[in-house]
Amino acid sequence: GDEGTTSAAPVAAPDVGDSTNTTTATPTGTVVTIETFQEKHFADLVRLEKDFLNSKLMCCCIPLGSFATEAEVRKTFKKHPEMMEVGAMAFVEGQAVGFIQVVLHGMPCDI
């Protein structure tokens, strides 16, 4: 039969309030808001990066780690403001839960 299979309801098209903010609901009904990077997001960006990278190992034994500070993030974006336009934060119920940073040709990348 159908044991072990699931079906998801279609996701509604996002409601776009402006060019920096998109809100949509997941199939489970969770509301996710995506906002392009703004200075108010820097503390959340640093926290999420540290939470993710500090839990990962390189070569199975060397901590990857992140030592970035909010001041360093601010300095990078001040030097390369175009990076703010191609990065975004994801929020669920006002809590930052993820981010993405796209790097286009000519933009600095320290990874």
Side-chain angles (χ1 to χ4, degrees):
D2 291 333
E3 291 180 33
T5 62
T6 60
S7 62
V11 176
D15 297 325
V16 179
D18 59 42
S19 63
T20 63
N21 192 357
T22 300
T23 302
T24 192
T26 67
T28 61
T30 303
V31 176
V32 179
T33 302
I34 307 294
E35 297 179 11
T36 54
F37 280 149
Q38 301 170 39
E39 285 193 40
K40 69 181 182 178
H41 299 137
F42 292 167
D44 286 328
L45 174 62
V46 169
R47 180 185 55 79
L48 288 169
E49 185 178 73
K50 286 182 179 185
D51 286 352
F52 175 74
L53 290 177
N54 290 348
S55 68
K56 305 298 177 207
L57 299 174
M58 179 175 61
C59 299
C60 300
C61 62
I62 303 167
L64 209 52
S66 172
F67 304 101
T69 64
E70 191 174 340
E72 291 169 328
V73 168
R74 187 175 312 282
K75 182 179 176 182
T76 298
F77 283 114
K78 185 175 182 178
K79 187 174 180 181
H80 303 283
E82 68 278 10
M83 290 178 65
M84 299 271 287
E85 298 171 14
V86 292
M89 297 289 299
F91 297 90
V92 172
E93 296 180 5
Q95 175 71 33
V97 294
F99 72 92
I100 185 169
Q101 176 66 67
V102 177
V103 179
L104 302 176
H105 182 72
M107 291 181 175
C109 180
D110 58 1
I111 295 176

